[in-house]
Amino acid sequence: MTSEPPARALFDQALIEEATKKSGLIWVRGDQAPAARPLWHVWHDGAACLVGDGPGEQPLTGLTDGGAAEVAVKSKDKGGRVVTWRATAHRLAPGSPEWEAAVAELKGKRLNAPGGEEITARWARECAVLRLVPTGVAPPPAGSLAEPPLPTPATTRSPVPAALPRLLARRRKRA
């Protein structure tokens, strides 16, 4: 005999795990953050593991130990939202068995890591390693979630100079 709530909870858990495993980035908004941020992660042992808040690493703005977070997972191929789930953030203590296991997974997925072999020692000294443990699926959002972009020192694209199309046309004729 099966009851409806446990079956729904298992479905939600499977959806969260599969969608998050397949996604390269997750959008995370901590309870202290004004907006969601894209973060790279690794799914390990029933939670999304993140590393950041150190030099050369992603900012974990608004995520505090024991704090709540909302995680949006998008489809890798279509870009649409697959699921939004609630989580509790847990900071892992450097050197603990949980930290070692999470860092081993994160190290394998970290692209272009400065320091190479010394990365785990640097993460232990200078960074935070967090686990986002799912607590349930969030209800679908009402309306558009479009927000203005976060401030950045990056420059925007300037208009194309008026003479550029003519210059490019000349190059094509010569070739």
Side-chain angles (χ1 to χ4, degrees):
M1 182 172 157
T2 61
S3 62
E4 190 63 31
R8 181 65 189 184
L10 288 174
F11 174 79
D12 289 349
Q13 180 182 357
L15 175 63
I16 290 168
E17 183 172 344
E18 282 303 310
T20 308
K21 274 183 187 178
K22 291 180 180 180
S23 179
L25 290 174
I26 53 177
W27 291 81
V28 181
R29 186 177 61 80
D31 55 3
Q32 306 289 320
R37 299 187 72 90
L39 301 173
W40 71 272
H41 68 288
V42 170
W43 185 266
H44 174 69
D45 199 24
C49 297
L50 312 166
V51 63
D53 280 350
E57 300 297 340
Q58 61 192 353
L60 302 177
T61 308
L63 294 174
T64 57
D65 189 23
E70 190 171 272
V71 180
V73 182
K74 295 185 176 186
S75 168
K76 207 171 190 178
D77 57 347
K78 301 289 185 190
R81 181 186 308 253
V82 176
V83 66
T84 300
W85 48 278
R86 293 188 186 101
T88 303
H90 298 283
R91 186 177 180 138
L92 302 178
S96 68
E98 296 85 13
W99 186 88
E100 295 289 341
V103 165
E105 292 290 323
L106 286 162
K107 182 180 175 185
K109 298 290 183 181
R110 176 64 163 96
L111 301 176
N112 305 322
E117 293 301 318
E118 302 164 2
I119 195 166
T120 55
R122 184 172 61 82
W123 285 350
R125 279 190 322 270
E126 303 169 355
C127 297
V129 176
L130 296 177
R131 287 188 57 178
L132 298 179
V133 179
T135 57
V137 172
S144 172
L145 296 177
E147 295 181 19
L150 296 173
T152 176
T155 60
T156 57
R157 197 171 156 189
S158 58
V160 174
L164 186 60
R166 288 189 306 253
L167 291 173
L168 293 175
R170 280 189 215 163
R171 284 188 183 173
R172 284 189 207 128
K173 287 180 184 178
R174 289 181 194 167

